[in-house]
Amino acid sequence: MTDLNGKIVLGANQYGKAENRVVRIYRDTPRHEIHDINVSSALRGDFSPAHLLGDQSNVLPTDTQKQTAYTYAKSKGLLHIESYGLDLARHYVDDVEPVEGARIELEEYAWQRVVIDGAEHDHTWTRKGEEIRTSAVTVEGKGEYQRTWVISGFKEMIILKSTGSEFAGFLEDELTVLEPTHDRVMATSLTAQWRYTHTDVDWDGVYAGVKAAMIERFANLQSLALQQTLYAMGEAVLEKYPFIAEIRMSAPNKHHFLYDIGRFGVENNNEVFNADDRPYGLIQATVEREDAPESGSAWRTYSIVG
Ligand SMILES: O=c1[nH]c(=O)c2[nH]c(=O)[nH]c2[nH]1
């Protein structure tokens, strides 16, 4: 073992206000609209005086970042998490002198109007059990050198097919006990994030289109493995939208094991399963274009620890 005696220096750092729970109600007409989000901001730049000396003269407080998140929800509007994220990120980089880069990460929780006597209610909703829409906006550099990256995505999109899924022909060793199957349940809780090549995007329309393309491919492909399905879902998105450079996906294989009721003389023809929650296979893949512009800081996340 070698002891290290190099100089101790400050490494990567950033700071901000995490997980501001902002709810913006649009109430200009009797029919209200709601946007319910979780937004985190992180500022980047030379903040070494704060870390090394305790000198806060360059530090815009995280409390101010919280105030900004709430104020911008009114003054700039909160119609799409992507455009609101861009407003915040550009503000920090353009208007706050020491800030060289800003990362805004967002989640949106969907609500649906309740229906009473066949009519949608103007100001009452129930939370949708759907996936959580996400975005991550990064702005770096001042003036003409400014660069912007927008990622959109979702997490916890739970999707299941009760047939049309196989897993066979796999490598075996002396510990392999898994039986090959040509008819199984396939289910996952999908996380996906895609990177745009520009910011002039119909955020809601493309979000709906990406989701639809992925769901269609999941449903209609005769799956030979979750890996193949995942690639096909990503490919569908890139085929549909030439301005998406890459899509990154993470899919836990939510195993549905056939439950042994044969022991009790009851036939189980792929009808009764144990939905096991752990352990789970975790399949992750990026589908990208060979000519995608480099991703720069697009994936540099809010947290610098894993
Ligand atoms: O779609 C699958 N991919 C795997 O790699 C795998 N491994 C496993 O045990 N079951 C599955 N299913």
Side-chain angles (χ1 to χ4, degrees), residues 167 178 184 225-227 253 255 283:
F167 191 64
L178 187 73
R184 66 173 182 172
L226 186 49
Q227 286 90 329
N253 192 354
H255 302 298
I283 314 298

Side-chain angles (χ1 to χ4, degrees), residues 165-191:
S165 167
E166 310 180 26
F167 191 64
F170 43 82
L171 188 64
E172 296 187 35
D173 70 9
E174 63 280 9
L175 296 181
T176 302
V177 294
L178 187 73
E179 294 288 336
T181 174
H182 296 282
D183 188 2
R184 66 173 182 172
V185 169
M186 188 163 74
T188 188
S189 170
L190 185 65
T191 300

Side-chain angles (χ1 to χ4, degrees), residues 36-306:
D36 177 2
I37 71 159
N38 189 17
V39 54
S40 300
S41 57
L43 306 184
R44 297 166 180 165
D46 179 8
F47 294 109
S48 49
H51 291 88
L52 304 181
L53 306 169
D55 173 350
Q56 324 303 342
S57 51
N58 272 348
V59 174
L60 185 73
T62 69
D63 187 69
T64 306
Q65 296 174 45
K66 170 180 156 187
Q67 311 310 335
T68 309
Y70 285 90
T71 305
Y72 270 40
K74 174 72 194 288
S75 61
K76 301 278 184 177
L78 205 180
L79 286 172
H80 325 278
I81 50 176
E82 290 87 354
S83 53
Y84 170 76
L86 280 165
D87 285 336
L88 285 171
R90 285 177 176 148
H91 160 64
Y92 290 123
V93 177
D94 291 343
D95 305 336
V96 185
E97 204 274 324
V99 175
E100 288 157 20
R103 171 80 169 186
I104 312 295
E105 294 193 359
L106 309 109
E107 295 179 347
E108 179 161 15
Y109 312 112
W111 291 84
Q112 67 185 359
R113 284 180 200 286
V114 300
V115 175
I116 296 174
D117 296 334
E120 284 189 343
H121 201 270
D122 277 345
H123 57 259
T124 306
W125 298 264
T126 51
R127 249 294 273 278
K128 274 193 193 173
E130 280 190 357
E131 80 285 350
I132 296 168
R133 182 169 163 177
T134 62
S135 178
V137 175
T138 310
V139 172
E140 246 176 40
K142 310 271 187 189
E144 60 178 306
Y145 301 107
Q146 189 161 91
R147 299 194 61 194
T148 301
W149 295 272
V150 178
I151 291 167
S152 292
F154 54 72
K155 63 183 196 183
E156 296 173 25
M157 203 261 273
I158 298 173
I159 186 167
L160 175 150
K161 64 197 293 189
S162 53
T163 189
S165 167
E166 310 180 26
F167 191 64
F170 43 82
L171 188 64
E172 296 187 35
D173 70 9
E174 63 280 9
L175 296 181
T176 302
V177 294
L178 187 73
E179 294 288 336
T181 174
H182 296 282
D183 188 2
R184 66 173 182 172
V185 169
M186 188 163 74
T188 188
S189 170
L190 185 65
T191 300
Q193 289 184 293
W194 53 93
R195 172 165 65 97
Y196 293 106
T197 53
H198 60 80
T199 59
D200 183 19
V201 173
D202 166 12
W203 305 115
D204 294 348
V206 175
Y207 180 82
V210 166
K211 191 176 144 189
M214 295 181 85
I215 290 172
E216 186 279 326
R217 203 55 71 91
F218 181 92
N220 290 337
L221 180 76
Q222 176 68 23
S223 174
L224 301 178
L226 186 49
Q227 286 90 329
Q228 181 211 22
T229 294
L230 215 52
Y231 180 81
M233 291 169 89
E235 185 184 47
V237 172
L238 267 54
E239 282 168 359
K240 188 165 177 177
Y241 293 111
F243 51 85
I244 293 180
E246 62 171 311
I247 178 166
R248 299 185 177 191
M249 293 161 291
S250 179
N253 192 354
K254 292 170 86 67
H255 302 298
H256 286 63
F257 295 115
L258 210 56
Y259 202 78
D260 181 11
I261 50 177
R263 294 175 278 183
F264 313 116
V266 182
E267 197 185 12
N268 191 356
N269 187 24
N270 256 343
E271 292 155 304
V272 180
F273 299 88
N274 165 31
D276 221 6
D277 70 337
R278 66 193 84 169
Y280 48 88
L282 184 59
I283 314 298
Q284 300 179 297
T286 300
V287 182
E288 60 194 9
R289 294 181 196 283
E290 281 184 346
D291 59 350
E294 55 99 19
S295 60
S297 294
W299 300 104
R300 202 178 142 200
T301 186
Y302 179 74
S303 169
I304 63 167
V305 293

